[in-house]
Amino acid sequence: MTALVDVDQLEVHFTARAGLLRSMFGRETPVVRAVDGVSFTLGKGEILCLAGESGSGKTTTGKAILRLVEPTAGKVYYAGEDVRAYNRSKLRSFRQEAQIIFQDPYESLNPRQTVFNIVAEPLEVNNLCHSLAEKEERVARALIDAGLHNPQELFLRYPHELSGGQRQRLAIAGSLVLDPKFIVADEPVSMLDLSIRAGILKLMVDLRDQKGISYLFITHDLSLAWLVSDRIAIMYLGKIVELGSADTVIKDPLHPYTRALVSVIPAPRRKVITRQSLLKGETPDPVNVPPGCRFHPRCPVALPRCREEVPPYREVRPGHFAACHLING
Ligand code: SF4
């Protein structure tokens, strides 16, 4: 599969706010290592899921790829070009092709704008329509593509007059109107009722099949990841610890962290996971990343060397990568 997005050793480090005492005593300002050396590729028309607990760096990775936050180090290539080297005009066209869908459709939509104005705004900002008729046609097409039928009836409605599912479809229409090739979908169904989720996920997959859109699908819910993605990357404390095809990662997880996440998926056909796999404790603070394997304070099968040696991330089987001393021998 041809790569559309190629992420190479991406890092996003933030400077944490130093406390008064720390400043007075001249101590170093703490650094939050939100993303700490992440590499993967995303193929054309592929759905790759970034999964993990909150605080693992998934959303920051997605935003850094789109340059909504500036990376500290590493490279992001889009269609073979270095995104970090884009000039203003290249960045503008990249922003048309690469879109983001947020978790909360209500927060991401302007409550004072009508449905028509919300979807038409990206066309106006990018000066893409030459007449009102053309604009109306493109807005109507985007609404239909997002599964909102009878679009003209919705044109003058406001977000609060729509259901939760319709609002998320409206947010998706706001992305589709620019004919994107790449969408970062950040927990796109986590705020929706269970009954509505399946429809939105099906819409995303249909759009991939019909338009060849590639998705970076961000979720904390591995069962959703399994349902919609081609491949799954598991993130822990700023790093990818396992990556492989969705079926392989769920049915035959290699990393103890993945095994713990998989163990809570209610599915009859996945591998039986022992009680040892249950996670203990909270994700550590990304300001104080543990030495060695960063998962070792919570790992139920940690070895003494795990406290000192960083496990190499390597291809264990074709297309299946993991970083763990138990696997690497
Ligand atoms: Fe657990 Fe050690 Fe593997 Fe890390 S390297 S996941 S601590 S066994």
Side-chain angles (χ1 to χ4, degrees), residues 255-256 293 295-296 299 301-302 306 311 324-326:
H255 195 280
C293 172
F295 184 57
H296 85 255
C299 181
V301 289
C306 301
C324 173
H325 289 309
L326 280 180

Side-chain angles (χ1 to χ4, degrees), residues 147-206:
L148 291 165
H149 304 293
N150 304 321
Q152 279 80 5
E153 286 178 18
L154 296 173
F155 274 6
L156 296 179
R157 297 234 200 128
Y158 288 88
H160 73 269
E161 298 177 275
L162 306 178
S163 68
Q166 283 178 318
R167 281 198 289 269
Q168 191 56 296
R169 286 176 189 273
L170 174 58
I172 292 171
S175 299
L176 293 180
V177 78
L178 292 175
D179 289 327
K181 294 187 169 58
F182 169 46
I183 293 180
V184 174
D186 187 4
E187 303 270 12
V189 295
S190 62
M191 304 283 285
L192 302 177
D193 289 347
L194 274 179
S195 56
I196 302 168
R197 287 182 184 187
I200 298 290
L201 294 173
K202 181 174 181 310
L203 171 68
M204 288 174 54
V205 175
D206 288 348

Side-chain angles (χ1 to χ4, degrees), residues 4-218:
L4 179 67
V5 181
D6 186 354
V7 179
D8 183 18
Q9 290 300 316
L10 185 70
E11 289 182 9
V12 184
H13 295 174
F14 300 111
T15 306
R17 194 175 297 170
L20 181 63
L21 284 177
R22 188 178 279 273
S23 315
M24 282 171 63
F25 290 104
R27 297 222 186 112
E28 268 182 38
T29 311
V31 173
V32 179
R33 305 164 86 86
V35 180
D36 208 15
V38 161
S39 302
F40 62 85
T41 58
L42 172 69
K44 285 184 181 161
E46 184 184 25
I47 303 179
L48 172 69
C49 177
L50 276 188
E53 295 166 294
S54 77
S56 59
K58 311 180 296 291
T59 295
T60 310
T61 300
K63 287 184 174 175
I65 291 169
L66 298 180
R67 281 193 54 190
L68 297 175
V69 297
E70 278 303 318
T72 313
K75 298 278 188 193
V76 176
Y77 298 96
Y78 178 75
E81 290 186 334
D82 183 353
V83 168
R84 295 188 67 195
Y86 278 167
N87 58 24
R88 279 175 74 136
S89 118
K90 283 295 273 181
L91 188 58
R92 197 180 171 95
S93 49
F94 173 63
R95 293 242 161 94
Q96 288 177 32
E97 288 193 15
Q99 298 282 313
I100 186 164
I101 299 168
F102 292 102
Q103 179 178 102
D104 184 349
Y106 209 65
E107 286 260 305
S108 64
L109 300 171
N110 184 340
R112 284 189 286 274
Q113 281 193 320
T114 61
V115 166
F116 180 82
N117 287 339
I118 286 169
V119 182
E121 189 175 27
L123 296 172
E124 285 159 5
V125 168
N126 291 288
N127 209 14
L128 293 175
C129 287
H130 304 294
S131 67
L132 179 61
E134 185 187 355
K135 200 190 297 178
E136 285 181 351
E137 194 271 324
R138 286 191 67 165
V139 170
R141 185 153 35 94
L143 290 169
I144 291 170
D145 285 348
L148 291 165
H149 304 293
N150 304 321
Q152 279 80 5
E153 286 178 18
L154 296 173
F155 274 6
L156 296 179
R157 297 234 200 128
Y158 288 88
H160 73 269
E161 298 177 275
L162 306 178
S163 68
Q166 283 178 318
R167 281 198 289 269
Q168 191 56 296
R169 286 176 189 273
L170 174 58
I172 292 171
S175 299
L176 293 180
V177 78
L178 292 175
D179 289 327
K181 294 187 169 58
F182 169 46
I183 293 180
V184 174
D186 187 4
E187 303 270 12
V189 295
S190 62
M191 304 283 285
L192 302 177
D193 289 347
L194 274 179
S195 56
I196 302 168
R197 287 182 184 187
I200 298 290
L201 294 173
K202 181 174 181 310
L203 171 68
M204 288 174 54
V205 175
D206 288 348
L207 289 169
R208 184 274 300 273
D209 295 344
Q210 291 156 15
K211 295 174 180 281
I213 296 173
S214 309
Y215 291 94
L216 185 65
F217 179 74
I218 294 169

Side-chain angles (χ1 to χ4, degrees), residues 292-293 303 305-312 323-329:
C293 172
L303 307 166
R305 66 190 281 214
C306 301
R307 293 192 201 105
E308 285 151 21
E309 293 173 38
V310 177
C324 173
H325 289 309
L326 280 180
I327 305 160
N328 296 326

